[in-house]
């Protein structure tokens, strides 16, 4: 069973996922990165451009999902280096530090809250989120074109692409596609008809929606919703 709550870290979500006997569902691209805990391991989920299907036996997880573009400053590594990956935190930070954090999580009554506390401690020392990138996410999530957004933000295409690679793991066009997918799934899950979902989310029509959903998730929209998405 999957549960989540709003984090004390601005824009983040704290979550847990406990096996229920059903097969593991794919993790869909959402523009975010996560710090995760499972069976004594601390891992980082990089930004996905395709569905991620967990391998091995089902197990319980706890995690904190960072809002788009904010994790690299906290982790100290560019997002593109972690794209489509699941990486041990010890590969990014000194082993001794990670051992102390692992002991801290193991000793805590709630692993998810312990991860949240670790992140809040880290945020005190990390660089502040880039307001330009925050505004970029807002504009793209409103469905504005990438070129018009770049002009509005006063940044050139090459610089915008480079900064997006560092912050999100991919360029602004891919980010826009993923944010649009997220809007469409939210609308469809709330019961909005597919044709209306397509228009409201920013697609040309329902076939365009269908192609993009399958292209980014590997599954048709109806199957995603029927399986709980």
């Amino acid at each position: 069973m999957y549960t989540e709550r709003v984090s004390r870290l601005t824009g983040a979500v704290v979550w847990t996922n406990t096996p229920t006997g059903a097969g593991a569902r794919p993790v869909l691209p959402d523009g975010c990165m996560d710090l995760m805990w499972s069976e004594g391991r601390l891992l980082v989920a990089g930004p996905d451009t395709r569905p991620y299907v967990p391998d091995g036996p089902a197990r319980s997880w706890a995690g904190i999902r960072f809002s788009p573009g904010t994790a690299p400053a906290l982790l100290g590594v560019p997002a593109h280096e972690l794209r489509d990956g699941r990486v041990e935190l010890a590969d990014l930070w000194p082993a001794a530090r990670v051992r102390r954090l692992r002991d801290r999580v193991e000793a805590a009554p709630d692993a998810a809250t312990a991860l949240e506390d670790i992140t809040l401690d880290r945020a005190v020392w990390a660089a502040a989120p880039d307001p330009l990138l925050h505004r970029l996410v807002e504009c793209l999530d409103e469905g504005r074109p990438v070129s018009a957004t770049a002009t509005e933000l006063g940044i050139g295409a090459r610089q915008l692409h480079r900064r997006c690679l560092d912050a999100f793991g991919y360029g602004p066009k891919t980010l826009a596609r993923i944010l649009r997918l997220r809007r469409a799934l939210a609308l469809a899950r709330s019961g909005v008809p597919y044709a209306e979902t397509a228009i409201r989310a920013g697609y040309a029509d329902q076939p365009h929606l269908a192609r993009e959903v399958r292209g980014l998730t590997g599954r048709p929209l109806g199957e995603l919703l029927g399986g709980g998405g």
Side-chain angles (χ1 to χ4, degrees):
M1 181 177 68
Y2 176 84
T3 64
E4 66 177 39
R5 64 170 173 82
V6 175
S7 172
R8 289 169 286 152
L9 180 70
T10 301
V13 172
V14 177
W15 58 268
T16 60
N17 195 10
T18 305
T20 59
R25 294 185 302 175
V27 179
L28 304 180
D30 60 4
C32 302
M33 296 171 60
D34 298 61
L35 176 63
M36 308 183 299
W37 168 264
S38 182
E39 299 181 355
R41 300 171 65 198
L42 284 166
L43 301 99
V44 175
D48 293 320
T49 61
R50 56 179 182 263
Y52 173 81
V53 180
D55 56 8
R59 52 183 176 170
S60 296
W61 290 87
I64 179 166
R65 179 174 303 114
F66 306 106
S67 58
T70 61
L74 292 168
L75 299 172
V77 60
H80 64 81
E81 294 186 8
L82 307 177
R83 182 173 54 232
D84 293 318
R86 302 299 185 269
V87 180
E88 298 278 352
L89 186 62
D91 292 338
L92 307 177
W93 290 2
R97 181 195 302 174
V98 175
R99 281 196 299 270
R100 291 193 297 271
L101 296 177
R102 187 167 58 238
D103 292 344
R104 179 175 171 182
V105 178
E106 286 184 332
D110 180 68
T113 300
L115 291 176
E116 182 183 29
D117 290 339
I118 288 169
T119 303
L120 288 166
D121 291 345
R122 177 73 176 179
V124 173
W125 305 101
D130 187 337
L132 183 144
L133 295 177
H134 177 73
R135 182 58 184 153
L136 171 68
V137 172
E138 288 184 333
C139 290
L140 296 183
D141 205 23
E142 292 170 359
R144 302 187 191 183
V146 171
S147 58
T149 298
T151 299
E152 178 181 332
L153 298 177
I155 186 171
R158 290 184 179 179
Q159 185 184 9
L160 178 62
H161 188 81
R162 176 181 59 78
R163 291 174 71 170
C164 281
L165 287 178
D166 288 344
F168 306 107
Y170 32 66
K173 291 184 179 180
T174 298
L175 175 62
R177 290 179 65 207
I178 289 172
L179 294 176
R180 184 173 59 183
L181 169 71
R182 196 165 67 171
R183 294 196 302 275
L185 291 177
L187 288 166
R189 284 172 177 149
S190 71
V192 177
Y194 291 177
E196 184 180 347
T197 288
I199 300 305
R200 288 174 59 180
Y203 296 94
D205 49 29
Q206 188 173 335
H208 183 204
L209 166 66
R211 290 193 301 273
E212 280 288 281
V213 169
R214 185 178 285 276
L216 286 170
T217 73
R219 303 163 72 187
L221 181 57
E223 185 178 327
L224 286 175
L225 300 180

